[in-house]
Amino acid sequence: AFFRGSLGVRPDEPTRFAGPVVAVIGDPHPENIGTYPIAGSQGKAPEIIVDFNDFDQAGQGSFVADLRRLSLGLYIVGDVADLNKKQRSRLVEAAVEGYVAEVLALARGEAPIALRLATSMGGDLEMILEPVSSSPLGQGGDALGEGERAKVAAAILAARATFRHPDAHPPHALAVKQVVSARGGIASFFARRLRARLEGATAAEDDDDFVELKETPAGQAPALVALQRQLQERADQDPWLGHTTIDGTDYRLRSIGPGWRSLSVERLAAEVRSPRWKKRDLRLFAQQLGRLLGRGHALAKGRDGRPVHLALTPLLGDGVALRDETQAVTARAAAQLEADLDHLRALLIERGATLGHMTAAAAKPER
């Protein structure tokens, strides 16, 4: 949790691989991997895509920063799973090897990686996903009043024009049946979230749709939606991906519900410690995440409008130098992160949960 909440606290180390500006995910750590159910043809079960699912920090930047963030996340997963430092470093090695392999494969004209829940990791990914929630709207959310609910309904209707396939969402299917406020995330905890239950195709409850509206910094929502469509396997893999405004505040929409689940580091670590998974399984997982990241970077369009793999390929070479640099930087970053966390714990003991700060009004602790 400390790792997830401390993105951007420290400046990046220099790199030998300063290259083209690319579309970046911004925070591609392992818990930002999730599932996307894609409706199958008539009579067939949905196909479940595995892909990155958090694009709050997406933008244009260095591929190295994304690769280092993923590598540090995997290194910490190894720590949580009680792997020694050498084994954690091998996870970083696997991620970089996967990244380079994917970019070079795409440059050769090969098909991009496509991860599926039923087949990835021998079908064992199901074991490391968050449990299916009994309530798609989440637990303990506060229901909105009629006035606020009407604003949300109007905002969702306005968002229809930003969907990839607006005609697949007739206005009657967007009728709002219930709206609650919610909290979630770590770095984005204070962003307002609203979760809504929509009518769906018919009046029956079993085809209702569930969406989340998440507050987004002013002016950024259209660009973040466009970047997500570039960086994921399919531009339409979330049919509710779009953006809107409520009272002048920007929001992004996304699907929520039983089919949209995220990876759990705690569950992953538990599997690695159990007889079910071996260390080589975790390395394979790291390699596949590296390939997912490489696919996103390589296929997104650069500033010249061309796929980025054309500029990345000569820079990567055989990947050995990039691997060595990333392993060294990751080990230093992990040590610093641990020291920072120790300092924070000491401050909490010394000064309390608000680190000694109190609000001016009523002298109550700040959030």
Side-chain angles (χ1 to χ4, degrees):
F2 183 79
F3 158 71
R4 288 176 56 186
S6 59
L7 175 66
V9 170
R10 293 187 172 276
D12 292 331
E13 287 195 32
T15 177
R16 296 172 49 193
F17 297 91
V21 173
V22 306
V24 295
I25 294 172
D27 195 15
H29 63 75
E31 284 188 310
N32 279 345
I33 294 288
T35 57
Y36 289 81
I38 304 296
S41 56
Q42 203 166 26
K44 291 189 176 180
E47 184 178 34
I48 302 180
I49 293 175
V50 178
D51 210 339
F52 287 104
N53 65 4
D54 189 323
F55 295 85
D56 288 353
Q57 305 297 326
Q60 301 290 329
S62 165
F63 79 93
V64 172
D66 256 8
L67 185 58
R68 287 177 175 179
R69 182 69 174 169
L70 174 62
S71 297
L72 181 56
L74 288 165
Y75 192 97
I76 291 170
V77 168
D79 189 359
V80 175
D82 298 330
L83 302 186
N84 61 40
K85 290 184 179 180
K86 182 177 180 180
Q87 291 166 334
R88 293 177 228 163
S89 186
R90 292 189 68 181
L91 296 180
V92 176
E93 177 182 46
V96 176
E97 287 177 349
Y99 183 92
V100 173
E102 183 68 13
V103 174
L104 297 183
L106 292 171
R108 294 192 297 267
E110 297 177 16
I113 186 173
L115 292 185
R116 297 293 179 268
L117 181 61
T119 56
S120 297
M121 299 296 304
D124 280 348
L125 277 183
E126 174 69 35
M127 303 297 299
I128 62 173
L129 295 175
E130 294 173 342
V132 176
S133 172
S134 60
S135 172
L137 296 183
Q139 302 291 337
D142 296 325
L144 269 61
E146 193 61 36
E148 290 296 310
R149 178 173 158 178
K151 292 178 182 180
V152 173
I156 292 174
L157 193 59
R160 180 172 179 265
T162 71
F163 295 159
R164 183 72 174 177
H165 301 296
D167 291 344
H169 305 273
H172 77 268
L174 306 183
V176 173
K177 300 173 72 172
Q178 184 182 3
V179 185
V180 300
S181 63
R183 288 288 185 190
I186 293 180
S188 62
F189 180 79
F190 290 110
R192 190 186 189 205
R193 296 171 190 253
L194 302 168
R195 292 177 178 169
R197 181 174 192 153
L198 309 182
E199 181 63 77
T202 71
E205 291 192 357
D206 59 2
D207 67 356
D208 287 355
D209 290 303
F210 298 87
V211 298
E212 180 180 79
L213 296 87
K214 184 176 182 180
E215 183 182 354
T216 303
Q220 294 186 21
L224 292 178
V225 167
L227 283 166
Q228 180 169 343
R229 288 174 176 155
Q230 283 196 68
L231 289 162
Q232 291 187 318
E233 179 185 328
R234 293 173 47 162
D236 61 351
Q237 70 188 39
D238 184 347
W240 292 96
L241 180 63
H243 56 88
T244 190
T245 61
I246 301 175
D247 290 336
T249 299
D250 292 346
Y251 289 81
R252 280 173 294 143
L253 269 73
R254 70 180 182 106
S255 300
I256 57 172
W260 284 267
R261 300 161 63 192
S262 294
L263 185 148
S264 163
V265 163
E266 287 78 9
R267 286 184 163 221
L268 175 56
E271 287 300 309
V272 174
R273 290 192 293 262
S274 76
R276 185 181 179 91
W277 272 36
K278 307 297 183 186
K279 295 178 181 65
R280 64 175 178 271
D281 295 321
L282 188 54
R283 289 195 295 273
L284 174 59
F285 179 69
Q287 183 190 58
Q288 290 181 335
L289 297 198
R291 293 194 76 119
L292 277 186
L293 186 64
R295 182 198 68 197
H297 288 173
L299 293 183
K301 301 293 178 62
R303 289 179 172 174
D304 59 1
R306 305 168 68 198
V308 170
H309 67 72
L310 299 173
L312 280 179
T313 302
L315 186 66
L316 298 179
D318 61 6
V320 172
L322 179 62
R323 177 201 66 197
D324 292 346
E325 179 186 278
T326 307
Q327 285 179 308
V329 169
T330 300
R332 288 193 291 270
Q336 186 61 62
L337 187 83
E338 188 169 357
D340 289 346
L341 180 54
D342 287 342
H343 287 313
L344 176 59
R345 285 172 172 152
L347 282 169
L348 289 170
I349 293 170
E350 177 186 342
R351 302 184 185 180
T354 63
L355 302 183
H357 294 283
M358 304 294 282
T359 60
K364 291 183 179 179
E366 296 177 352
R367 287 195 302 178

